[in-house]
Amino acid sequence: MRAVTTVTDPTEKAEPWDDGLIARRAEDRPAEALTTTPAPAAAPDTAADDPLDRRLEALRELVGLSRARLDAATLSQAGRVLEEAAARRRLSSRHTVVAVAGATGSGKSTLFNALAGVSLSETGLRRPTTSAPIACSWTDGAAPLLDRLGIPGRSRRRPIQQGGAPGALDGLVLVDLPDHDSAAPEHRHTVDRVLDLVDAVIWVVDPEKYADAMLHERYLRPMAQHAEVMFVVLNQTDRLPDEAAEQVLDDLRRLLDEDGIALGEYGEPGATVLPLSALTGDGIGELRDALDQFTAGRRAAERRIAADIDATADRLRPLYAVGRQVGLSELDREEFTDRLAEAVGAAAAGQAAERAWARGANRACGTPWLRLWRWYDARRSLTAAIPAPSSRADDETTARQRVEHAAREVGDAAATGLPATWAQSVRDAASRGAEGLPEALDELAASAASPQGGSRRQRASYAPGVRPPRPKWWPFAVLVQVAMTLLQLLGGLWLVAQIVGVVPPNLGVPVLMMLTGIVGGPCVEWACRAAAKGPARRYGQEAERRLRDAASACGRARVLDPVASELLRYREVREQYVRVTGLSTTGR
């Protein structure tokens, strides 16, 4: 009878989850752990293994997990199904409560009397004839069920036992309802209330009103998933010729098919459609036999509860089911990390670190005269290099906007394909994380100037005024540069001494010493600069990577993890929804 739909398309079977982050977190947890309250292992013959019990438990879990995301009105029907299912299952499973419903003048009260074998419900031309439900029980012990329906003791009857098989219609409780199209509003309210509580319903239609729009739009079409606990009888066939009765019956079946009601004409589950005449008794025997088979299995109450669950799942489907995989892709996370790294200035920091390393090499291995000139030039241009306060404020505003925009985009990417309610929850989680993210990144960039812990190389920073680490060959290069400088000084002093006559003339040696120092110093500096390019580049890349990783960790903690939690929560409710529909989640 049930026409349930899966929440995933066939492409989703290949990969359980499209998001790498979500997948890793989900893989760390067993499939049973994805539910809030995993069902304990039970023996096949226990009640916990009953499919209906599992579906009810899944619906209960679904409602519990969704309370924080959906409003109470949306979940009210599911809550009512759980309450009524629990109330019905506490009562007798031996009895089957069947309501007889129909429009004014359809002859439902006459049919009710014909099945009971005695005039229990008032019939006549006055409309409406039936003003309150009347119950007829074939078996003792139905009082609690009738109390649940609100049928008082004065409206409870017993049928006349007619000839037939012993125990025929055993457990049947038949309820004659007021007209569903009655002019009295309280009558329609009573019909709606009782129809929600009975195990099955016999819809009585007549040749004149079988196509009534009110019947089909208000009752039959919404109850399409209850076809397995539904009888549709075409009454008053004695008023039609044989061929006309067949034509009307065929047209009735066509209308029921358009309503989405499955017809059990060839042994398959579905509604039973019968022609009869309650007045002449023609076809009453067939209906009685069908009711006898229906009540003999004593599963009508479970079928009705299952149909209620199906109807609830169908109404909730837009809130839980999607036709595509959802989640954050690896590309989405990389783009988010790139935007955070750009906002915190990771690339600029790496370049600054590389330049700082190169400057350190020049200071350590450069000639004293060039170092003196560079010091003077740096002091002269220091003031011009300081950015104006307004420019700095504009940069901070731009960085904040980039971070907030990146958080919104990752929220939108994670929410793509989700039902509207869950998509909004994901976006809200990303927005909440973005509120303090720019400040956190600012603190991160500030602390990166003097990180603590690690080796000396790891503690070294690209910030101005902080000395970068030096390779082991720098002391040797400094000694060589000092030697070159000493050669220049010694050669010069020797020449001066010769000029003043302190030492005998000998131009060759002092000139050679000075030339060696003058040429050797720049050569040493050039060689050191060439040797420092590789380490400086690696140092800059390492500084950029550290700041990028720190920004990524900050963004993950504040934005990606909350988004992942929302997606995991949606995964949990989605799996519970699949269990509510009665389908297996294996291979998803």
Side-chain angles (χ1 to χ4, degrees):
M1 181 219 38
R2 297 192 298 273
V4 294
T5 53
T6 179
V7 300
T8 56
D9 57 9
T11 60
E12 199 168 359
K13 295 182 179 179
E15 294 292 338
W17 201 253
D18 191 33
D19 176 37
L21 172 63
I22 307 301
R24 287 193 294 271
R25 294 183 61 175
E27 288 170 0
D28 294 338
R29 304 168 61 189
E32 295 78 3
L34 291 175
T35 60
T36 302
T37 308
D45 57 346
T46 62
D49 194 60
D50 181 65
L52 184 59
D53 284 337
R54 291 198 297 268
R55 296 184 68 191
L56 287 170
E57 180 63 24
L59 182 59
R60 190 174 294 108
E61 292 288 344
L62 183 68
V63 172
L65 289 170
S66 303
R67 281 199 181 101
R69 301 296 182 272
L70 304 178
D71 58 274
T74 303
L75 299 174
S76 60
Q77 184 191 20
R80 186 191 61 78
V81 169
L82 290 171
E83 292 175 359
E84 297 300 341
R88 179 62 182 91
R89 301 185 88 187
R90 285 194 298 267
L91 301 176
S92 172
S93 60
R94 178 186 177 187
H95 295 82
T96 302
V97 184
V98 181
V100 181
T104 303
S106 62
K108 58 181 179 56
S109 296
T110 304
L111 176 61
F112 178 84
N113 293 335
L115 290 172
V118 64
S119 181
L120 301 178
S121 184
E122 183 181 356
T123 62
L125 297 177
R126 181 176 59 88
R127 298 291 180 260
T129 303
T130 305
S131 59
I134 299 175
C136 180
S137 176
W138 270 253
T139 308
D140 294 334
L145 289 170
L146 298 178
D147 292 339
R148 178 170 175 256
L149 298 180
I151 300 177
R154 64 179 181 275
S155 299
R156 303 177 186 182
R157 307 286 189 269
R158 292 299 298 271
I160 293 180
Q161 298 297 330
Q162 300 176 348
L169 300 181
D170 180 48
L172 176 64
V173 180
L174 203 62
V175 180
D176 184 21
L177 296 178
D179 302 332
H180 68 75
D181 59 349
S182 173
E186 61 272 15
H187 293 182
R188 297 194 300 270
H189 175 73
T190 299
V191 172
D192 295 341
R193 179 181 60 82
V194 175
L195 285 179
D196 286 340
L197 301 178
V198 296
D199 301 329
V201 59
I202 300 175
W203 288 103
V204 183
V205 298
D206 61 78
E208 295 179 355
K209 295 185 178 181
Y210 73 92
D212 182 57
M214 179 180 180
L215 170 65
H216 289 270
E217 294 177 4
R218 183 175 179 181
Y219 292 103
L220 296 182
R221 198 166 299 160
M223 296 183 65
Q225 289 168 317
H226 294 73
E228 198 172 351
V229 292
M230 187 183 299
F231 296 82
V232 182
V233 297
L234 177 63
N235 193 17
Q236 304 177 9
T237 56
D238 56 298
R239 298 168 50 190
L240 299 172
D242 292 341
E243 294 182 358
E246 288 296 330
Q247 291 177 357
V248 172
L249 191 64
D250 290 342
D251 195 43
L252 174 60
R253 291 191 178 100
R254 178 187 62 81
L255 292 175
L256 294 176
D257 183 69
E258 291 179 356
D259 291 334
I261 297 177
L263 304 180
E265 296 179 289
Y266 304 101
E268 71 276 9
T272 301
V273 182
L274 294 172
L276 56 81
S277 174
L279 185 62
T280 64
D282 185 27
I284 296 296
E286 288 79 357
L287 177 59
R288 188 184 296 273
D289 292 341
L291 288 173
D292 187 38
Q293 295 178 5
F294 185 75
T295 58
R298 298 182 180 179
R299 295 186 57 84
E302 294 185 0
R303 292 178 183 177
R304 171 58 195 259
I305 294 173
D308 288 341
I309 297 175
D310 289 338
T312 300
D314 187 62
R315 289 186 178 93
L316 293 178
R317 188 178 189 278
L319 301 176
Y320 300 104
V322 293
R324 50 157 292 173
Q325 294 177 340
V326 295
L328 281 175
S329 66
E330 194 69 30
L331 179 61
D332 293 330
R333 289 193 303 277
E334 288 180 356
E335 290 181 353
F336 180 64
T337 300
D338 291 341
R339 289 178 177 271
L340 295 186
E342 181 181 359
V344 82
Q351 295 172 1
E354 181 177 351
R355 290 193 299 268
W357 208 100
R359 283 196 302 269
N362 292 336
R363 284 196 301 267
C365 305
T367 62
W369 326 117
L370 287 178
R371 291 172 62 184
L372 182 61
W373 167 253
R374 287 168 183 154
W375 174 83
Y376 171 75
D377 185 63
R379 292 297 297 269
R380 186 181 61 180
S381 59
L382 181 61
T383 305
I386 298 177
S390 59
S391 176
R392 189 174 302 170
D394 292 341
D395 292 342
E396 292 178 356
T397 302
T398 302
R400 173 181 291 274
Q401 292 174 348
R402 288 176 180 174
V403 172
E404 294 175 349
H405 182 66
R408 284 196 301 270
E409 283 198 345
V410 79
D412 291 340
T416 301
L418 288 174
T421 303
W422 301 99
Q424 188 60 44
S425 297
V426 170
R427 293 190 183 97
D428 290 344
S431 298
R432 287 192 300 268
E435 289 177 358
L437 185 57
E439 291 77 6
L441 292 177
D442 289 341
E443 294 177 2
L444 180 66
S447 63
S450 56
Q452 301 298 322
S455 63
R456 181 180 178 183
R457 170 179 287 272
Q458 292 172 335
R459 291 195 305 269
S461 172
Y462 50 82
V466 180
R467 177 183 297 179
R470 295 182 176 183
K472 296 180 179 179
W473 52 265
W474 275 20
F476 175 76
V478 171
L479 291 177
V480 175
Q481 193 64 267
V482 169
M484 296 297 103
T485 303
L486 290 177
L487 284 177
Q488 294 180 52
L489 293 175
L490 291 177
L493 292 175
W494 196 340
L495 288 177
V496 171
Q498 291 183 26
I499 293 172
V500 299
V502 176
V503 295
N506 186 2
L507 296 178
V509 176
V511 170
L512 180 61
M513 292 175 61
M514 289 186 64
L515 290 176
T516 301
I518 293 172
V519 175
C523 289
V524 171
E525 181 178 359
W526 176 85
C528 291
R529 184 179 300 175
K533 286 184 178 180
R537 187 181 301 110
R538 288 192 295 271
Y539 177 71
Q541 292 172 350
E542 178 66 16
E544 179 181 356
R545 183 194 63 78
R546 288 200 306 269
L547 189 54
R548 180 186 178 88
D549 290 347
S552 176
C554 186
R556 175 183 291 270
R558 289 180 173 268
V559 177
L560 292 184
D561 281 351
V563 167
S565 297
E566 290 297 325
L567 291 174
L568 281 174
R569 188 181 185 90
Y570 169 71
R571 179 187 176 116
E572 291 176 1
V573 299
R574 185 177 66 171
E575 292 187 354
Q576 291 296 342
Y577 176 79
V578 173
R579 294 185 175 95
V580 168
T581 62
L583 300 178
S584 172
T585 58
T586 304
R588 291 179 65 251

